Amino acid sequence: MSGDLRFNELTALTSLRCGGSTLNSIDVSNNTALESLDVQCCKLTDIDISKNTALDSLACNGNQLTSLDVSKNTELNYLDCDEAVTVTGWPKEDRR
């Protein structure tokens, strides 16, 4: 799996795992039912999860992210991202 990935028509999708790929872009903005997203060890420089308000689990470590906004993800209970990533809206001290 490489390049850009879009799932615009899969609006009922609840879980997506595409870690370990050469993925450099992903659009999950229409996947509002998404509860679990695993994009570990890809080549992402940005990810917008602001419309994924049902998201409970996000694994995004091993990317090229510098910032991540989870302020709209009020259901998020699990976050695994690199320590160097500036996370906005994560009330918990532990990211993992």
Side-chain angles (χ1 to χ4, degrees), residues 12-31:
L13 187 68
T14 59
S15 181
L16 178 61
R17 295 186 68 189
C18 50
S21 68
T22 57
L23 188 68
N24 57 31
S25 174
I26 187 167
D27 181 0
V28 291
S29 59
N30 285 341
N31 309 103

Side-chain angles (χ1 to χ4, degrees), residues 6-69:
R6 290 182 178 81
F7 301 94
N8 292 335
E9 296 183 22
L10 302 174
T11 56
L13 187 68
T14 59
S15 181
L16 178 61
R17 295 186 68 189
C18 50
S21 68
T22 57
L23 188 68
N24 57 31
S25 174
I26 187 167
D27 181 0
V28 291
S29 59
N30 285 341
N31 309 103
T32 55
L34 199 60
E35 296 173 359
S36 177
L37 178 60
D38 179 349
V39 289
Q40 297 181 84
C41 302
C42 296
K43 296 182 186 250
L44 298 176
T45 56
D46 182 48
I47 185 166
D48 182 359
I49 54 169
S50 61
K51 294 183 180 176
N52 306 102
T53 56
L55 199 62
D56 174 71
S57 173
L58 174 62
C60 59
N61 61 311
N63 281 286
Q64 299 168 7
L65 300 172
T66 57
S67 63
L68 179 67
D69 185 354

Side-chain angles (χ1 to χ4, degrees), residues 48-96:
D48 182 359
I49 54 169
S50 61
K51 294 183 180 176
N52 306 102
T53 56
L55 199 62
D56 174 71
S57 173
L58 174 62
C60 59
N61 61 311
N63 281 286
Q64 299 168 7
L65 300 172
T66 57
S67 63
L68 179 67
D69 185 354
V70 297
S71 60
K72 304 223 182 202
N73 307 97
T74 57
E75 299 299 316
L76 192 63
N77 289 305
Y78 176 84
L79 175 61
D80 187 2
C81 68
D82 297 320
E83 289 294 321
V85 177
T86 301
V87 180
T88 304
W90 183 247
K92 301 172 177 89
E93 287 183 31
D94 185 18
R95 293 186 185 182
R96 201 159 188 219

